[in-house]
């Protein structure tokens, strides 16, 4: 294991880049060329693996994780980053981050650069450091996990996109359609440090990204940086207030602190009467069994960070 104060020796590393080629052909052709030109010559060995669609990424990441690479670089949005992190957490394999999504919360939290160019500079002159990740029933997530309204919005959005195509109008329409279908809020029990708390809510949002929480204008970012979850449970119980609170969280706009109960902890359990529950994690969907056991895996993932501890973005802004 390389010490976190030492630079990562890329020249002797077996490197694999994992990319989802189904999300923009021209964009990924350009990225392939950039990687072959700038990254490949700096590596001991270089391999590129691409998935045909996003749903193939978890299996591809697990396959690559078993092939004795020293460094696996996730090229894509937070869903791609999450799939690779899930495969690598708990192992000695180092993860690199090349952001390619809309929000790139994980890259922003790490400070590795918000563009491919800046993130490549980090990889070319990096150190290794272990970071915390979220775990729910063995599934790793990097930024957030949610129950209730938001998973249903993602499910509804997919159907609307298939019928009408991708657009901002279609995305907003999917929010309204999903919220209109919310009939009853969830009944749930949260168990924290031996204490049980009962809630009635349309939305539970478990945050692990301090950057994302700051962008929502909510408390808890400092505790996330100290290795905890910020668990936000919508307070509203009547239909219109439920819709208003869920809508604010779903579209990422600033939400009022009094809309939510806040739990700060690094371990908890959430139970719902429904045995199987649709959840959203880092923009993806999964169906998991209740109870949901959440824990912060402290220092669970080894990642590349800027060698001098300062991202290029921060240096440019200084």
């Amino acid at each position: 294991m390389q010490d976190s104060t030492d630079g990562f020796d890329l020249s002797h590393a077996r490197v694999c880049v994992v990319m989802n080629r189904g999300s923009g052909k021209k964009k990924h052709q350009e990225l392939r060329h950039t990687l072959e030109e700038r990254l490949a010559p700096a590596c001991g060995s270089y391999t590129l693996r691409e998935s045909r669609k996003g749903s193939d990424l978890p299996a591809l990441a697990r396959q690559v994780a078993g092939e004795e690479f020293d460094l696996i670089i996730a090229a894509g949005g937070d869903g791609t980053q999450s799939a690779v992190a899930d495969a690598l957490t708990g192992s000695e394999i180092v993860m690199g981050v090349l952001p390619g999504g809309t929000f790139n919360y994980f890259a922003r939290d790490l400070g590795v650069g918000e563009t491919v160019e800046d993130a490549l500079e980090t990889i070319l002159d990096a150190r290794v450091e272990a970071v915390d990740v979220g775990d729910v029933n063995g599934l790793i997530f990097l930024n957030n996990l949610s129950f209730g309204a938001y998973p249903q919005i993602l499910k509804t959005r997919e159907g609307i996109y298939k019928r009408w195509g991708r657009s901002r109008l279609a995305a907003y329409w999917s929010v309204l359609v999903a919220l209109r279908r919310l009939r009853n809020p969830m009944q749930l029990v949260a168990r924290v440090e031996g204490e049980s708390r009962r809630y009635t809510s349309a939305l539970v949002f478990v945050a692990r990204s301090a950057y994302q929480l700051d962008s929502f204008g909510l408390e808890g970012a400092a505790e996330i940086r100290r290795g905890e979850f910020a668990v936000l449970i919508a307070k509203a119980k009547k239909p219109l207030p439920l819709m208003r609170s869920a809508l604010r969280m779903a579209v990422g706009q600033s939400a009022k602190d009094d809309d939510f109960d806040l739990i700060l902890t690094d371990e908890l359990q959430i139970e719902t009467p429904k045995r199987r529950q649709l959840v959203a994690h880092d923009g993806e969907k999964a169906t998991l069994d209740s109870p949901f056991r959440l824990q912060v895996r402290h220092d669970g993932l080894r990642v590349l960070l800027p060698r001098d501890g300062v991202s290029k973005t921060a240096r440019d802004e200084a």
Side-chain angles (χ1 to χ4, degrees):
M1 181 186 298
Q2 290 179 314
D3 189 86
S4 63
T5 59
D6 295 334
F8 182 78
D9 187 1
L10 196 61
S11 66
H12 289 87
R14 294 160 295 181
V15 179
C16 180
V17 175
V18 173
M19 183 191 305
N20 173 20
R21 72 180 184 188
S23 60
K25 185 175 180 180
K26 183 177 179 181
K27 176 182 176 182
H28 287 88
Q29 287 176 340
E30 293 173 353
L31 180 55
R32 282 188 215 105
H33 177 73
T34 298
L35 294 175
E36 289 168 1
E37 186 177 72
R38 295 194 58 197
L39 178 63
C43 301
S45 69
Y46 171 82
T47 303
L48 174 65
R49 297 284 177 81
E50 299 175 89
S51 68
R52 293 182 179 274
K53 51 186 178 180
S55 59
D56 295 336
L57 278 168
L60 175 61
R62 288 192 296 270
Q63 176 186 331
V64 170
E67 296 183 14
E68 299 185 349
F69 289 104
D70 302 305
L71 170 65
I72 298 177
I73 300 171
D78 286 318
T80 302
Q81 307 297 334
S82 185
V84 172
D86 186 65
L88 299 187
T89 294
S91 77
E92 290 298 306
I93 304 171
V94 179
M95 177 175 170
V97 175
L98 282 177
T102 302
F103 299 108
N104 300 315
Y105 289 128
F106 188 52
R108 293 181 180 191
D109 272 318
L110 293 178
V112 298
E114 298 175 23
T115 66
V116 168
E117 291 75 18
D118 288 350
L120 266 177
E121 288 195 18
T122 292
I123 291 169
L124 292 169
D125 186 21
R127 75 183 196 279
V128 180
E129 188 164 310
V131 299
D132 300 339
V133 295
D135 181 320
V136 55
N137 294 2
L139 175 69
I140 299 301
F141 63 98
L142 301 174
N143 304 310
N144 57 69
L145 175 85
S146 59
F147 309 85
Y150 191 57
Q152 294 302 324
I153 288 169
L154 291 180
K155 185 177 180 180
T156 302
R157 183 179 297 171
E158 287 180 359
I160 290 176
Y161 280 170
K162 286 180 181 178
R163 184 172 183 180
W164 302 105
R166 291 177 175 269
S167 70
R168 182 170 295 181
L169 179 60
Y172 288 137
W173 179 248
S174 67
V175 173
L176 296 176
V177 171
L179 293 178
R180 182 174 57 84
R181 293 173 179 170
L182 282 176
R183 301 302 180 190
N184 299 304
M186 295 181 296
Q187 305 295 321
L188 58 96
V189 178
R191 292 189 169 86
V192 185
E193 297 181 351
E195 178 186 351
S196 295
R197 311 176 193 179
R198 294 185 178 275
Y199 298 93
T200 301
S201 178
L203 178 68
V204 177
F205 188 85
V206 182
R208 265 301 307 156
S209 168
Y211 185 96
Q212 186 179 27
L213 211 59
D214 279 337
S215 71
F216 286 162
L218 292 168
E219 296 179 359
E223 287 79 4
I224 287 175
R225 293 186 178 99
R226 290 198 293 266
E228 295 186 313
F229 292 120
V231 183
L232 298 110
I233 302 175
K235 289 182 178 181
K237 297 179 181 179
K238 295 182 180 180
L240 285 178
L242 282 173
M243 291 178 68
R244 186 167 59 247
S245 294
L247 180 61
R248 279 199 288 263
M249 287 296 292
V251 300
Q253 293 182 349
S254 186
K256 296 180 180 178
D257 292 337
D258 58 8
D259 280 346
F260 299 92
D261 286 308
L262 176 64
I263 300 173
L264 299 167
T265 182
D266 66 351
E267 187 172 353
L268 76 156
Q269 179 174 294
I270 296 175
E271 285 187 35
T272 59
K274 191 175 179 180
R275 174 69 175 172
R276 300 276 285 170
Q277 189 85 29
L278 184 68
V279 303
H281 58 99
D282 296 336
E284 305 296 327
K285 303 190 309 300
T287 302
L288 301 179
D289 290 336
S290 176
F292 307 101
R293 298 177 177 85
L294 293 119
Q295 61 174 316
V296 176
R297 297 275 293 271
H298 297 289
D299 296 335
L301 179 67
R302 302 179 73 219
V303 299
L304 292 185
L305 299 182
R307 187 170 183 176
D308 61 5
V310 181
S311 70
K312 182 180 184 298
T313 302
R315 288 196 297 269
D316 290 344
E317 292 175 351

